[in-house]
Amino acid sequence: MTSVPVNTPLITDEDKQSVMDALNSNWISSSSPAIEEFEQAWASYCGRKFGIAVANGTAALELSVRALDIGPGDEVIIPNFTIISCASAVLLTGATPVIVDVKLEDMCIDVSKVEAAITAKTKAIMAVHIYGYAADMKAILDLARKYNLKVIEDAAEMHGGELEIETNSWKRAGSFGDISTFSFFVNKLISTGEGGMLLTDDLETANRLKLLRNLGFTTPRYLHSIQGFNYRMTGLQASLGVSQVSRMSKILQIKSNLYEKYMLGLSGLEKYIKLPIYPSWVKSSYWVFPIIVNEESDRDELVQYLNENGIETRNFFISMSEQPYLKGKFKEVGGLKNSQKLSKCGLYIPSGLGLFGTDQDIVINKVKSYFIDRHNI
Ligand SMILES: Cc1ncc(COP(=O)(O)O)c(C=O)c1O
């Protein structure tokens, strides 16, 4: 039985009251006014004009590709090191994912390799912020402009994070893509249990996304001119989201405190593990605390040791090029060794918003004692 889960959510009394209010008012479905409230609150927090709430972050990615009219014969460039949702979103539209390696330092797409992957068929670049690191959106937008490509920004793991665009000029993650997407799964900074959202500044795109999310319903009702999907979010979920957006600065503070404490507690182990250090142009969301173990064998042994001591961990994503289901369905450009190394050597340790200080101490002590025992330090 795990005593320190990898993620413990933080649901406050205000969050509970917000959901109770939704229940008491019978506004529980996607017709609830809380949906628009949540969409507006999150769009405005991220500096965008329109928000479209959906059932989860995977649906958000799929709709982003569909709304940009990408389909059979088209290519979308994605990072090799990411969640399967990115590749699936592209494949579901009939387009081909083109996979590019990431950088070891920040785990995000290596923009210097993207240009070589662009062909006449390329329609979009999907940039993904990973584990609190930011994709270099400035460079990605430059390339997109040069080749007239669309940008999909997956900010599922970067709620509230910021990127410095010019000296002392910062923009929120989620404000860069033609369409930017979020997940509100239980382990995210804003969590509605399950949930997602797309942000855009383009009214036409926003309207198209709303149609796609809701079975293509227009007027007259039950007459459909496009194929849509039921990817709606419920009012109960939105009411939970609304209450959390209003305390986003507190949420970020908790995450940054957890980060600082881990950095302090695990200092001295740099010879064995790479701790997360974010570049000066990134204000991280500190989504999770990712570490990279030098040796592959160490990662699996460390995980086993922590698990045996009641500490749950999560291995890093397995890269897209290693997914049996994707075999033969993607194109790859350039080497993929960085993503493959991350998949083998990375893990994250408990870092949920509800992690108790005493539990964090236990994690720190156990990670340390593993290396002390194993390496006689
Ligand atoms: C980067 C990224 N994109 C997309 C998703 C998919 O979101 P969901 O689990 O809500 O479908 C996740 C999942 O956590 C994610 O980490």
Side-chain angles (χ1 to χ4, degrees):
M1 167 84 177
T2 306
S3 55
V4 187
V6 72
N7 175 60
T8 313
L10 181 67
I11 308 291
T12 65
D13 288 343
E14 288 75 24
D15 294 340
K16 291 175 192 166
Q17 190 55 53
S18 187
V19 177
M20 280 310 292
D21 292 346
L23 282 168
N24 287 330
S25 64
N26 287 337
W27 283 118
I28 57 174
S29 78
S30 63
S31 315
S32 162
I35 296 285
E36 235 179 85
E37 210 187 322
F38 185 33
E39 290 172 338
Q40 281 171 9
W42 191 241
S44 138
Y45 177 81
C46 296
R48 302 303 300 254
K49 286 191 183 149
F50 308 105
I52 299 90
V54 290
N56 52 61
T58 302
L61 282 169
E62 184 193 334
L63 290 195
S64 70
V65 184
R66 291 193 187 280
L68 294 174
D69 252 332
I70 292 169
D74 296 334
E75 294 178 354
V76 178
I77 297 171
I78 67 169
N80 191 34
F81 185 67
T82 186
I83 190 155
I84 193 74
S85 313
C86 300
S88 289
V90 178
L91 283 170
L92 282 168
T93 68
T96 303
V98 178
I99 285 167
V100 169
D101 207 4
V102 297
K103 285 180 287 161
L104 267 188
E105 311 86 79
D106 66 10
M107 309 185 201
C108 293
I109 195 161
D110 185 343
V111 186
S112 72
K113 295 191 171 156
V114 171
E115 197 157 11
I118 296 172
T119 69
K121 294 179 178 173
T122 311
K123 289 291 178 308
I125 303 170
M126 188 182 280
V128 189
H129 305 300
I130 293 284
Y131 298 145
Y133 286 98
D136 184 351
M137 295 311 299
K138 208 169 129 184
I140 288 166
L141 288 174
D142 283 348
L143 262 187
R145 250 177 249 121
K146 183 169 167 190
Y147 291 95
N148 194 25
L149 306 176
K150 298 290 184 189
V151 172
I152 297 167
E153 178 192 14
D154 181 348
E157 303 183 3
M158 203 51 172
H159 297 191
E162 291 177 68
L163 284 68
E164 191 176 35
I165 294 313
E166 282 162 27
T167 314
N168 294 326
S169 170
W170 294 80
K171 275 186 79 184
R172 279 248 147 78
S175 67
F176 294 95
D178 291 284
I179 300 179
S180 300
T181 65
F182 289 88
S183 161
F184 301 121
F185 183 60
V186 66
N187 59 5
K188 302 301 189 298
L189 275 75
I190 299 279
S191 173
T192 56
E194 300 283 350
M197 201 181 289
L198 303 103
L199 301 182
T200 182
D201 292 328
D202 182 58
L203 177 62
E204 214 177 297
T205 306
N207 286 337
R208 186 162 160 72
L209 286 168
K210 284 179 185 167
L211 270 184
L212 286 168
R213 132 184 106 175
N214 190 24
L215 295 167
F217 266 114
T218 47
T219 42
R221 198 173 175 82
Y222 303 124
L223 190 66
H224 302 266
S225 46
I226 65 159
Q227 184 192 20
F229 307 85
N230 180 353
Y231 287 165
R232 301 183 297 250
M233 176 185 269
T234 69
L236 289 177
Q237 292 168 308
S239 63
L240 192 51
V242 167
S243 128
Q244 292 171 20
V245 177
S246 61
R247 61 183 162 85
M248 201 43 205
S249 60
K250 283 190 195 153
I251 290 175
L252 282 167
Q253 191 59 55
I254 294 172
K255 282 287 187 186
S256 114
N257 292 348
L258 288 171
Y259 170 80
E260 296 296 341
K261 185 166 169 173
Y262 270 138
M263 288 301 282
L264 200 65
L266 299 177
S267 68
L269 294 182
E270 290 84 352
K271 205 168 143 205
Y272 309 104
I273 51 177
K274 181 183 175 301
L275 300 174
I277 296 177
Y278 303 102
S280 60
W281 54 271
V282 177
K283 288 184 193 164
S284 180
S285 61
Y286 304 111
W287 176 50
V288 289
F289 196 85
I291 57 181
I292 302 166
V293 180
N294 285 349
E295 299 297 328
E296 186 183 336
S297 56
D298 252 358
R299 196 271 303 262
D300 297 339
E301 271 181 37
L302 171 64
V303 164
Q304 193 184 345
Y305 175 84
L306 293 175
N307 292 177
E308 280 166 8
N309 282 280
I311 296 165
E312 192 186 12
T313 57
R314 188 75 79 241
N315 285 352
F316 276 8
F317 296 127
I318 297 177
S319 59
M320 298 302 99
S321 54
E322 295 167 272
Q323 301 294 338
Y325 132 72
L326 295 180
K327 226 180 165 86
K329 298 192 176 83
F330 63 86
K331 264 176 64 181
E332 65 178 75
V333 177
L336 300 172
K337 66 177 189 328
N338 291 344
S339 19
Q340 286 162 0
K341 177 172 169 67
L342 289 171
S343 300
K344 288 190 177 82
C345 298
L347 72 146
Y348 63 85
I349 52 182
S351 28
L353 285 165
L355 180 67
F356 289 123
T358 45
D359 282 348
Q360 194 177 6
D361 292 333
I362 294 173
V363 179
I364 291 169
N365 289 333
K366 288 295 172 196
V367 173
K368 272 175 147 170
S369 65
Y370 170 80
F371 286 102
I372 291 169
D373 289 353
R374 190 170 197 284
H375 295 283
N376 301 317
I377 50 173

